[in-house]
Amino acid sequence: MNMNEIIKITNLTKSFGNIIACSSITLEVYPGEIVGIVGESGSGKTTLLKCASGLYKPDSGEVFFRSDDNYVQNICNISEPDLRQLMRTDWSFIHQNPRDGLRMNISAGGNIGEKLMAIGNRHYGNIREAAAAWLEKVEIDSSRIDELPSNFSGGMQQRLQIARCLITEPKLIYMDEPTGGLDVSVQAKILDLIKKLVEELNIAAVIVTHDLGVVRLLADRVLVMKDGHIVEQGITDQVLDDPHHAYTQLLVSSIIQV
Amino acid sequence: MDELKYNFAYLDEQTKKTIRRAILKGLSIPGYQVPFSSREMPMPYGWGTGGIQVTSSCIKQDDTLKVIDQGSDDTTNAVSIRNFFKRVTNVQTTEDTNKATIIQTRHRIPEIPLVEKQILVYQVPTPEPFRFLEPSEFETRKIHALKEYGIMHLKLYEDISKNGHISTSYNYPVLVDDNYISAPSPIPKFDNPKMNNNPAIQLFGAGREQRIYAIPPYTKVISLDFEDYPFEATKANAVCQLCGATDSYLDEIIIDNAGGRMFVCSDTNYCHNNLLKKIYNP
């Protein structure tokens, strides 16, 4: 199968009992592109993310992922070892709460180096060097390499999680509210960092958030979800500056102006 | 007499049969933890109930049993288990590693190399090598099934970053038959190399955790390490002050209230034999 997209979702539907969380969603993401998914709580954005990353099996529809060597896999019927292999190499998942993505009883260096060891790196010196380099990249002093994540502030923990996720240079990252729960100035720093790294490594990213500011800053394209449907999509600035759908207009107008 | 009411080797034949089946399965998949329905034994968990059940299922009338605890034949645990088997089987017991056909051990592998047809039964407190890294059994089974073994190196990484060397000194994780990562039970890492390519059958029983696993004779067992921090079989840098052995694992024993201490072989039978040799061939 030939495709240019890195991930392609076609007619994806997922319901929980009577509740339809995602209804025939179609979405393509191209390499190096950041796609934002916005919507209120319960609009199905997290379900979509979980289906896209193989954590949920959709009721119908398909999710295709293309690796570097143009090998296309259907995520909906991928075997668990293959899925976990993808998670270790080509994909990464940045959680809202860094505690979900980090090992809190393992040092910062160990947290960053874990994926390297998981894919077979067996040279302590090299792993440590890479971990230190990544700490610097996410603007944490590399002298703190042996400290536990619990010694770090919330923002630093989130940066640590980013380093841990990006060390294997994945092709695609999924982010679920990556700046939720952080104060605004720290949010801005993290968003800057994500934007810089994503551009540097040419990573495609799917970012789920209810915060239009995050989308405005990060996303090239945005999808607005409501009740399991995509109600509007397009270039971020276009959608946010000239929203067509009534719901998008409501979202945009409800941003508090300071 | 009371003991006549018990079946040979305490367990009933049906139970022994199920345990043997678990052992055979374990031997066919080296390093794989086979669940078994562990029985209530007449001693508390942590005293070797897993090892005893394995021994009970293997032992025959013509076997010779040796029981060691931390290498020693005469500590409480070793003596009570030996007496237990004497009562319920009436088999020969010995302290001599060479004469034993079954050796039940807690925390040591004898210094004298084992030979074919010997069975070494380990008492195992925690059969799951990933337990302290991953508390969920559901997850650890997945780790084994999918060979997601990277996090064991994470533990060794933490060791080096904290202490400058791999400081795990007992229960040092091994890779069995290039396949499963297993816990060697809390033997000192000095003994790890003895597991590799050993002619004897090595059986591991964990009573509370209800797991049996095994290493068949002549199986490759390697201790995990880093390329730049290779595995080292360490021991105290001293000689045995009783027999003068330099090649055996040593216990440090405090001998008075003034801080006096001495190093002696942890394997009492080995030390004893060395002393006999000294006396008869000075």
Side-chain angles (χ1 to χ4, degrees), chain A residues 46-113:
Chain A
T46 299
T47 303
L48 176 59
L49 197 67
K50 288 193 169 161
C51 287
S53 56
L55 294 176
Y56 287 162
K57 297 258 171 278
D59 301 333
S60 66
E62 257 136 10
V63 180
F64 294 103
F65 172 74
R66 179 173 61 83
S67 341
D68 253 359
D69 48 2
N70 283 325
Y71 175 59
V72 174
Q73 296 181 77
N74 187 347
I75 302 303
C76 301
N77 51 30
I78 193 172
S79 71
E80 193 166 2
D82 287 347
L83 182 65
R84 288 207 172 200
Q85 178 66 21
L86 274 181
M87 287 282 189
R88 280 200 295 265
T89 53
D90 284 355
W91 290 5
S92 248
F93 205 111
I94 296 179
H95 297 265
Q96 172 176 5
N97 188 343
R99 280 177 168 72
D100 295 337
L102 293 172
R103 288 184 192 276
M104 296 306 283
N105 54 351
I106 296 284
S107 69
N111 264 299
I112 300 180

Side-chain angles (χ1 to χ4, degrees), chain A residues 13-65:
Chain A
T13 298
K14 172 81 185 169
S15 50
F16 300 96
N18 291 330
I19 300 158
I20 300 169
C22 289
S23 168
S24 30
I25 303 278
T26 296
L27 163 67
E28 296 100 23
V29 181
Y30 289 86
E33 183 186 38
I34 306 180
V35 175
I37 302 172
V38 293
E40 60 194 1
S41 299
S43 60
K45 42 191 206 305
T46 299
T47 303
L48 176 59
L49 197 67
K50 288 193 169 161
C51 287
S53 56
L55 294 176
Y56 287 162
K57 297 258 171 278
D59 301 333
S60 66
E62 257 136 10
V63 180
F64 294 103
F65 172 74

Side-chain angles (χ1 to χ4, degrees), chain A residues 80-81 84-85 88 103 105-107 109-111 113-114 117-118 121-128 131 145-146 148, chain B residues 132-134 139 142-143 145-158 160-162 225-229:
Chain A
E80 193 166 2
R84 288 207 172 200
Q85 178 66 21
R88 280 200 295 265
R103 288 184 192 276
N105 54 351
I106 296 284
S107 69
N111 264 299
E114 178 178 352
M117 295 180 242
N121 198 319
R122 294 288 177 265
H123 192 284
Y124 175 82
N126 294 352
I127 294 167
R128 199 169 169 79
I145 190 165
D146 290 330
L148 292 181
Chain B
F132 293 106
L133 299 165
E134 176 52 67
E139 268 304 311
K142 218 164 228 183
I143 285 173
L146 302 177
K147 302 274 177 297
E148 291 198 332
Y149 282 158
I151 66 167
M152 191 51 93
H153 275 87
L154 190 57
K155 182 184 172 207
L156 304 180
Y157 170 94
E158 289 290 288
I160 302 173
S161 68
K162 279 196 192 106
D225 60 4
F226 284 105
E227 290 157 12
D228 44 347
Y229 285 85

Side-chain angles (χ1 to χ4, degrees), chain A residues 95-99 153-158 176-188 190-191 208-211 214:
Chain A
H95 297 265
Q96 172 176 5
N97 188 343
R99 280 177 168 72
S153 68
M156 283 167 82
Q157 287 179 6
Q158 192 58 289
D176 194 358
E177 303 277 11
T179 57
L182 296 173
D183 70 59
V184 188
S185 60
V186 176
Q187 265 192 29
I190 301 253
L191 291 176
V208 160
T209 179
H210 61 263
D211 187 340
V214 170

